[in-house]
Each structure stands twice: as C-alpha cells, then as structure tokens.
C-alpha cells in the first residue's frame, strides 16, 4: 500500500481572521528601533500655525513626514512607489499607525502639502531666547541631533568638513551666458581694514579699494539657482554643492546647499560658524570643538585664519608646490620655496643674501608684492637660474595672512595631526558614500536652492536617525562586560574614579603624551 504524504492546501484569500498588526512585525525590525528612538509628535506644535482652523480634517502631518522618511530610508526617490509599498508592507503600516482596513494617503498629498505649507519658514525661539525662522525640515534635523546628543552619541571634539556635488534637475544643454557682479568674499571687509592698518604702520602708499567687477558666467535656463561648472576634463554639469560637517562618530552636524560653481573656501563660513556656535565649549564644557579636518580645497590663508582665530586647530593636508613642473627642454626657474623669508625685516632673501623688499599690496587679493633691486640681479651669478629672458628683477608675493597658513603647515608635521586627520576618510567621506549609494543624493528632483536644502536636510536627518536607532538597540559594552564577569575585581573600583577625574579635567598626568581634552 502506497501513502502520498504531500499536502495540498487550498487558497483562502477571503477567509476572515482576527489578527493584530503589532504581532506581524518582527521585534528586531529596523522600523521598531526607529520608532523607539524618537517621537515625531513634536511636529504638531510647529505646523499648527500653517493649518486652518475651519474646514474638513487634514491628513496627519506625522504620517506624511514618516512616508518621506521611508522614501529616503529605502532609497526609492519616488513617493508613488513608497505609497504603493506601504499599501502591502505590514511593517510600513505599523510604523505609520495605519490599520489594515485604512487607506494609505495618495502619493501627491506630500508634494501638495509641501508646496502649500511645509516649504514655508516657521518662527521659533532659539536657545538664547531670540526669534528666528526655520523650515520644518531643519527643525526635524536639529531635533534628531538634540536627541542623539542627549544620549551621548555625538562627539564634536574633532569635526570634519567637506562638500559634494548634487546633480540638479535641469538639462545641461539649456545653458545661457549671463553677466553678473562678482560676489564679495566673506572676509573682504576684514581684509581691507587690516591692509589699511598695515599701510599706515609701514608707510606704504594707501591701496585702492577693491572694485566690484562684472563677469560672464554660464547659467541654467531651467534652474537659475544651480551652478554650471566643468569639473576637471569632464563635460559641462549643472549641480548644487552641499557643504557638510560631521563629528567623529559620523553624525551629520550641519549641511548648507549652494550653487556648484562656487569654491569650497568661499562657502566655508556659514556651516563652520553654525557648528561652532552649537557645539562650543560654553555649551559642552571641555568637549567643545578642538579641531576641524579639511581637504586641500580649503587650504587658503583666509580659511586658516578663520579657524585659528576661533581657537580651533586646523587639520589640513599636504599640497605640492604650485608652478610648472621640471622639464629638460625648459628647466624650472627658482621659485618661492628657494627664497628665505625674514619675518622681522619683512623681506625675502635670495641665495646671495640680497633682499626682496615689499613694494605694494592689493586690496582685492590681499597679496603683498616683493621685488628685488635691478643692480643686485645684474651682478648675480644665479641670474639665468632665477629670472626669465625678459625679466630684470625677481618678484614674489606673500599673503597678508600667510602666517596662519604657516601655522597650519607646522601642525601638519605633529603627531596630533597624524592621529586625527586620518579619521577624515572614515567619517565625512563615508557619510557622502552612504548618502549617494543608499539614500539617493547623487541627483535631485527639486528645483531651487531652498527646496534642495530641504531635501538634503531630510536625507541627513534620516541617516542620523537610522544610526541613532541602531546604536540605541545595540547592547552596551559595559553591560556585556559586567554580565560576562561574575568575579570580584578590586582594581575596577580604583580605575573608574581615576578615569572620572581625567574626564572632568581635574589634573593632567605627566605620562600622557596628548592633552586631556584630545583623548577624552
């Protein structure tokens, strides 16, 4: 007798069951961890002025913002696909608070509410008691950071700053020429003031003020606020520039969007000072910002000065000397590095010891011109190695703030720099890699700088929230160690008070190589 043990089960789609949505979502699901990490009910008090007190009830704004987070969390870049997924995904329904018999909001609801309400700025009161305006996206971004800081996840002792390009929602072939006024540099007023003081001290002829110049640039006719640029030997691109700052643990602390045709050094000030004010020593005690790591694009005298005058250590990389490379047919002439600068006399000295004295200064660039004496150059045996065929004197330039860049160069040779600068590739570069690969910021579908700014803040808020949720769910290493060790360790109780004294800055042991502030 043969038995057939294969079971055949009939499909029963129309069968009624009594089930709980809570039981269908696994306990270790990511959305459960995110839900425990933060409560989005704080949104209501900020959005209440944007909603009318009469008319029919609206869609819950928390549901709409959670849908936006889900869209970026799974890198769909499409609210329509996210709403379709939420229709069948039980974890999505649980996180949104929508029952099985309720309808998911239409995919156009978020975009319509964004255009009519969420893109507007809201008046809030900051920590100093002053009124300021912010968008709801920045409020959410800062609230998540505040929650992470309260849990001790943010370490702003050393921060890292860089920028990345985001392709604009514009056709790169629709570009027109436009004449615009050149924007003044953020340090122009301070530069001119310091130049006037230097001219009075040394008896120089007063330099002329920098005139506003007009220049011709390429402008996109589709999105005029974006920047048109050509990066290296690549073709023309239309993009935005996201200037971003993160801490040692990879939490994004600030991000500012600008046009992509601006240089890193010119868009440096706003995000740097925002982070400096939010994570200063007055607020965080000895754990305030001590250093900032930057790439070669920021290695300018103005940037080094801004960092140093705020008592922060600049961590800048090595850059090769500028100028022409050596060539057998046309050997390179003596450059600036072949001359010695005498700080006390404010002159450059050549190999023979002949001085190059200051002759003038430019208010536009801040560079002082140094020139040699024609008689000295005529009698010099190194004339052919130093001057070109048409030159009769040697001319060098030095920036008025070069001393700050020299100080940053001295820091580069210290063990402190080697210890902390290498973390830059593990922090800010990793942030950009994850944002582009996992959360879709290679390009944007929005037009206008403010809307792209809201999108970028939403992406980085999503990344910070995900990291915080995973860290909260992770078991504490101290708890694991205490559970694993049942035996009594008397040295443990002697070691903990000693570490607490170091953290509180009570004393500085002589055997420590680094300052207490840099190791805690």
């Amino acid at each position: 007798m043969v038995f057939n043990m294969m079971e055949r089960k009939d499909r029963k789609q129309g069968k009624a069951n009594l089930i709980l949505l809570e039981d269908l979502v696994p306990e270790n699901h990511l959305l459960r961890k995110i839900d425990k990490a933060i409560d989005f009910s704080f949104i209501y008090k900020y959005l209440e002025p944007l909603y009318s007190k009469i008319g029919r009830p609206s869609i819950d704004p928390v549901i709409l913002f959670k849908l936006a987070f889900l869209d970026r969390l799974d890198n769909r870049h499409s609210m329509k696909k996210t709403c379709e997924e939420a229709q069948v995904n039980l974890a999505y329904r649980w996180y949104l608070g929508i029952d099985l018999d309720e309808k998911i909001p239409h995919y156009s609801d978020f975009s319509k509410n964004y255009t009519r309400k969420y893109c507007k700025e809201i008046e809030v009161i900051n920590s100093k008691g002053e009124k300021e305006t912010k968008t709801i996206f920045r409020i959410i971004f800062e609230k998540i950071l505040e929650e992470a800081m309260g849990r001790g996840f943010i370490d702003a002792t050393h921060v890292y700053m860089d920028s990345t390009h985001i392709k604009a929602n514009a056709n790169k072939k629709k570009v027109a020429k436009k004449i615009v006024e050149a924007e003044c540099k953020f340090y122009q007023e301070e530069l001119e003031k310091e130049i006037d003081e230097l001219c009075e001290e040394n008896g120089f002829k007063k330099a002329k003020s920098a005139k506003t110049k007009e220049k011709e640039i390429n402008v996109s006719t589709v999105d005029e606020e974006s920047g048109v640029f050509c990066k290296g030997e690549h073709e023309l691109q239309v993009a935005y520039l996201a200037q971003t700052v993160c801490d040692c643990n990879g939490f994004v602390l600030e991000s500012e969007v600008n046009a992509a045709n601006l240089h890193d050094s010119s868009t440096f000030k706003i995000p740097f000072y925002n982070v400096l004010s939010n994570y200063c020593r007055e607020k965080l005690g000895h754990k305030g910002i001590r250093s900032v790591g930057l790439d070669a694009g920021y290695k300018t005298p103005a940037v080094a000065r801004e960092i140093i005058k705020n008592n922060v250590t600049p961590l800048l990389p090595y850059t090769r000397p500028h100028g022409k490379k050596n060539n057998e047919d046309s050997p390179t002439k003596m450059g600036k590095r072949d001359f010695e600068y005498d700080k006390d006399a404010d002159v450059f000295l050549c190999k023979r010891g002949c001085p190059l004295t200051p002759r003038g200064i430019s208010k536009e660039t801040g560079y002082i011109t140094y020139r040699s004496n024609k008689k000295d150059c005529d009698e010099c045996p190194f004339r052919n190695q130093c001057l070109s065929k048409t030159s009769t004197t040697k001319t060098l330039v030095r920036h008025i703030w070069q001393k700050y860049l020299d100080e940053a160069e001295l820091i580069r040779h210290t063990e402190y720099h080697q210890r902390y600068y290498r973390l830059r590739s593990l922090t800010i570069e990793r942030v950009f890699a994850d944002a582009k690969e996992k959360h879709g910021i290679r390009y944007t579908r929005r037009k206008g700088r403010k809307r792209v700014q809201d999108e970028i803040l939403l992406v980085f808020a999503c990344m910070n929230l995900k990291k915080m949720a995973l860290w909260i769910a992770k078991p504490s290493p101290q708890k694991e160690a205490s559970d694993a060790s049942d035996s009594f360790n008397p040295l443990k109780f002697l070691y903990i008070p000693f570490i607490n004294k170091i953290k509180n800055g009570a004393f500085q042991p002589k055997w420590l190589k680094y300052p207490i502030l840099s190791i805690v």
Side-chain angles (χ1 to χ4, degrees):
M1 188 174 179
V2 179
F3 294 96
N4 189 356
M5 303 301 294
M6 181 175 65
E7 182 182 0
R8 297 186 181 185
K9 192 169 184 178
D10 297 332
R11 301 177 66 186
K12 301 176 182 179
Q13 289 93 338
K15 183 180 177 181
N17 292 312
L18 181 61
I19 57 175
L20 294 176
L21 189 58
E22 180 74 22
D23 299 335
L24 299 178
V25 182
E27 289 294 330
N28 61 344
H29 198 279
L30 176 61
L31 292 182
R32 280 192 179 273
K33 299 174 184 178
I34 291 177
D35 188 61
K36 291 178 182 178
I38 193 168
D39 182 10
F40 280 106
S41 59
F42 68 89
I43 293 176
Y44 294 127
K45 70 174 183 178
Y46 294 107
L47 294 180
E48 188 176 357
L50 303 179
Y51 282 84
S52 176
K53 296 182 179 179
I54 59 175
R56 62 179 182 176
S58 67
I59 301 173
D60 190 342
V62 171
I63 293 178
L64 294 178
F65 275 96
K66 283 185 175 181
L67 278 171
F69 267 87
L70 291 173
D71 178 58
R72 286 303 183 175
L73 193 65
D74 290 341
N75 194 14
R76 285 192 179 83
H77 222 297
S78 170
M79 189 61 73
K80 182 178 180 180
K81 292 182 180 179
T82 302
C83 291
E84 290 174 354
E85 178 67 20
Q87 190 70 34
V88 297
N89 193 317
L90 297 177
Y92 279 21
R93 283 184 171 272
W94 175 86
Y95 181 63
L96 297 171
I98 299 176
D99 293 331
L100 292 172
D101 56 346
E102 292 181 349
K103 191 177 180 181
I104 300 293
H106 195 262
Y107 64 86
S108 65
D109 290 333
F110 181 81
S111 60
K112 291 296 181 183
N113 277 275
Y114 175 80
T115 305
R116 296 167 184 169
K117 300 182 181 70
Y118 303 154
C119 65
K120 298 179 181 178
E121 293 188 338
I122 305 167
E123 192 176 82
V124 297
I125 298 175
N126 58 18
S127 58
K128 298 180 180 178
E130 302 171 349
K131 290 184 179 180
E132 58 181 359
T133 56
K134 296 179 181 179
T135 61
I136 186 62
F137 296 92
R138 180 162 289 280
I139 292 172
I140 294 173
F141 174 79
E142 291 178 355
K143 185 69 176 179
I144 293 172
L145 279 178
E146 183 182 337
E147 188 71 22
M149 190 189 302
R151 295 178 180 271
F153 293 156
I154 291 180
D155 182 8
T157 310
H158 310 280
V159 298
Y160 299 90
M161 187 175 182
D162 203 355
S163 62
T164 186
H165 288 108
I166 303 165
K167 291 183 180 179
N169 186 12
N171 190 343
K172 59 186 176 183
K173 295 182 180 180
K174 294 184 178 181
V175 175
K177 298 285 186 180
K178 187 178 180 181
I179 297 176
V180 296
E181 287 188 1
E183 294 184 2
C184 293
K185 298 172 183 176
F186 68 86
Y187 54 85
Q188 193 65 40
E189 291 184 5
E190 296 181 6
L191 179 65
E192 292 186 3
K193 183 180 178 181
E194 200 163 325
I195 288 174
D196 290 338
E197 293 176 356
L198 183 66
C199 291
E200 290 180 3
E201 290 177 3
N202 298 336
F204 294 158
K205 184 180 178 182
K206 191 173 182 181
K208 296 180 181 179
S209 299
K211 297 180 180 179
T212 55
K213 294 183 178 180
E214 292 183 347
K215 61 179 181 179
E216 188 181 53
I217 62 171
N218 292 320
V219 178
S220 172
T221 57
V222 180
D223 186 359
E224 292 187 358
E225 293 186 351
S226 61
V228 181
F229 74 106
C230 187
K231 187 174 183 180
E233 299 179 355
H234 300 285
E235 59 185 359
L236 206 69
Q237 293 184 7
V238 184
Y240 284 94
L241 187 75
Q243 195 81 253
T244 309
V245 187
C246 76
D247 72 335
C248 294
N249 296 329
F251 282 92
V252 178
L253 306 179
E254 180 63 39
S255 185
E256 184 76 16
V257 173
N258 296 283
N261 55 0
L262 299 176
H263 196 264
D264 289 346
S265 59
S266 62
T267 58
F268 158 83
K269 187 174 182 178
I270 294 177
F272 174 71
Y273 274 94
N274 286 347
V275 172
L276 199 65
S277 61
N278 292 333
Y279 302 94
C280 61
R281 292 186 179 90
E282 287 75 11
K283 290 184 178 181
L284 303 180
H286 67 279
K287 289 188 177 181
I289 296 176
R290 301 194 68 247
S291 68
V292 54
L294 305 164
D295 67 355
Y298 300 89
K299 197 171 182 179
T300 62
V303 171
R305 174 181 176 271
E306 288 293 324
I307 297 173
I308 292 174
K309 78 175 187 178
N310 285 284
N311 298 322
V312 179
T313 304
L315 304 179
L316 298 171
Y318 167 79
T319 52
R320 66 175 183 83
H322 299 289
K324 296 180 181 179
K325 295 183 180 180
N326 292 326
N327 192 343
E328 294 180 359
D329 299 331
S330 58
T332 305
K333 302 295 182 181
M334 287 185 185
K336 190 176 179 180
R337 56 184 173 177
D338 299 316
F339 291 77
E340 183 181 353
Y341 178 71
D342 189 343
K343 182 179 178 181
D344 297 330
D346 190 23
V347 294
F348 280 96
L349 299 175
C350 67
K351 285 186 176 181
R352 286 184 62 203
C354 298
L356 279 72
T357 56
R359 302 299 177 90
I361 187 169
S362 171
K363 275 192 175 181
E364 184 179 349
T365 60
Y367 280 93
I368 305 173
T369 303
Y370 294 82
R371 191 174 291 115
S372 62
N373 192 341
K374 185 176 180 300
K375 292 182 179 180
D376 294 336
C377 292
D378 291 339
E379 301 171 357
C380 183
F382 304 105
R383 176 187 173 87
N384 295 332
Q385 301 175 19
C386 183
L387 301 179
S388 62
K389 294 180 180 179
T390 58
S391 301
T392 57
T393 57
K394 185 68 176 180
T395 302
L396 297 177
V397 293
R398 176 183 170 86
H399 200 278
I400 190 174
W401 293 334
Q402 182 64 32
K403 60 181 180 180
Y404 298 102
L405 204 57
D406 294 339
E407 187 174 346
E409 189 66 16
L410 291 175
I411 295 170
R412 187 178 66 83
H413 295 284
T414 62
E415 192 174 354
Y416 182 89
H417 181 279
Q418 296 174 5
R419 180 180 182 183
Y420 290 108
Y421 187 76
R422 63 184 179 84
L423 297 179
R424 181 183 164 275
S425 60
L426 306 176
T427 52
I428 190 66
E429 296 293 350
R430 177 63 183 271
V431 166
F432 287 151
D434 288 347
K436 288 177 180 288
E437 291 293 329
K438 300 179 182 179
H439 302 283
I441 67 163
R442 289 189 182 276
Y443 62 93
T444 177
R445 292 186 176 179
R446 300 189 184 278
K447 291 183 177 68
R449 192 188 70 83
K450 290 185 178 180
R451 296 195 173 194
V452 177
Q453 176 75 66
D454 292 340
E455 184 180 14
I456 295 303
L457 288 176
L458 179 66
V459 171
F460 287 139
C462 176
M463 293 174 62
N464 288 342
L465 179 59
K466 181 180 177 181
K467 183 186 287 287
M468 181 174 66
L470 294 174
W471 283 24
I472 292 172
K474 190 187 299 183
S476 174
Q478 295 178 356
K479 186 178 179 182
E480 286 184 346
S482 61
D483 294 341
S485 174
D486 295 329
S487 59
F488 175 75
N489 185 5
L491 295 177
K492 173 183 175 182
F493 297 96
L494 297 174
Y495 182 69
I496 290 177
F498 174 73
I499 291 298
N500 290 337
K501 285 184 179 181
I502 293 180
K503 288 184 176 181
N504 295 330
F507 64 94
Q508 169 72 51
K510 295 181 179 179
W511 46 267
L512 283 177
K513 280 186 179 180
Y514 305 96
I516 288 297
L517 300 181
S518 66
I519 67 169
V520 177

